Amino acid sequence: MEQNDLEEFAVTQSNEAIGFIGLGVMGKSMARNLLQAGYEVHVYTRTKEKAAELLSEGAKWAAAPKEMARKANVIISMVGYPHDVEEIYLGENGLIENGVEGTYLIDMTTSTPSLALKIAQEAEKKGMAALDAPVSGGDIGARDAKLTIMVGGELGAFEAVKPIFDSLGSNVVHQGPAGSGQHTKMCNQIAIASNMIGVTEAISYAKNAGLDPDKVLQSISSGSAGSWSLSNLVPRMVKGDFEPGFYIKHFIKDMKIALDEAERMGMDAPGLSLSKSLYEDLAEAGEENSGTQALYKHYN
């Protein structure tokens, strides 16, 4: 689809039906924000019970991605793993095979750059536009519509659906062609991986030194050591709250993608490798469904 053609399909609340696939920790809040922004929202998740709250708030149910492809002009996915993404978009009963020309497909899952490129190429053959738009910000960012959204794909498609992104996030950047959003998310995850080791070791050191962790956090979170993880995840560690804002199992998946991409580029990433090994130890100990802040348990 040419950029001029894409611009004819500009998105507004009055002309757009949005499909949302995946209602997990972040997806449910994201779909709710679209409802509250005034969009007609169709939802699908493998377990319909997970959609009950949104259905009571006005969302409409789609029994399968194939059905959604015929109901929505814009379809967003926020699922777990690349194999889920591949099935949803490229499967026989998937969105591309069953969708209509002019549809925008937006995958917000953290997936592989190569799969994002393949989806974009297959979508283009059917007169659709596909964007890879992974996010950062966790459950809090999803709830408050303050996600960072990193977008790859055609600029015309990005501009057409920008109002939708603005209903979900506060930092929305078009990074380049298809796959660029996923590559940017790998940069994000690499930075977080080593940072999580640092903030966890810092607060564990504070505890072992007999300091008040809350007072230590008050001092260091606003200085040069400050980071999102320090401000938002360390308080959860201190309280013993290891509920997932982002699952350990999904973080391991992301780190594996990043390491595979780094190896393909001939790049060494020792900090990322160490973080992945620590989280894999936690997963083997039964913590795969805990939040990433459960790294604290490795030290305590």
Side-chain angles (χ1 to χ4, degrees), residues 7 16 38 46 51 87 105-106 113 115 120-121 123-124 129-130 149 160 183 197 205 218-219 235 255 261 271 286 290:
E7 289 169 352
E16 216 58 48
R46 289 193 181 103
E87 179 182 355
L105 305 173
I106 306 172
L115 179 56
Q121 291 170 339
E124 186 177 11
I149 305 176
H183 276 304
I197 295 174
Y205 180 97
Q218 184 180 353
S219 290
M255 289 188 283
E261 290 294 325
S290 297

Side-chain angles (χ1 to χ4, degrees), residues 15 31 36 38 50 72 77 103 125 160 171 198 229 238-239 254 270 274 294:
N15 72 3
Q36 293 175 347
K50 289 184 178 181
S77 57
T103 299
K125 293 177 185 177
N171 180 18
S229 296
V238 173
K239 293 176 183 177
D254 294 355
L274 174 59

Side-chain angles (χ1 to χ4, degrees), residues 256-272:
K256 184 179 186 304
I257 293 172
L259 282 168
D260 288 344
E261 290 294 325
E263 182 178 1
R264 184 182 62 80
M265 293 184 283
M267 172 188 159
D268 190 26
L272 180 61

Side-chain angles (χ1 to χ4, degrees), residues 169-189:
S170 58
N171 180 18
V172 182
V173 181
H174 180 250
Q175 295 290 340
S180 299
Q182 296 296 353
H183 276 304
T184 304
K185 181 60 184 289
M186 292 304 105
C187 297
N188 185 85
Q189 301 305 74

Side-chain angles (χ1 to χ4, degrees), residues 81-82 110-113 186 189-190 193 248-264 272-273 275-277 280:
Y81 297 91
T110 299
S111 184
T112 64
M186 292 304 105
Q189 301 305 74
I190 291 168
I248 283 176
K249 62 185 179 183
H250 290 162
F251 195 31
I252 292 171
K253 175 261 297 184
D254 294 355
M255 289 188 283
K256 184 179 186 304
I257 293 172
L259 282 168
D260 288 344
E261 290 294 325
E263 182 178 1
R264 184 182 62 80
L272 180 61
S273 297
S275 183
K276 178 173 173 285
S277 69
E280 286 175 335

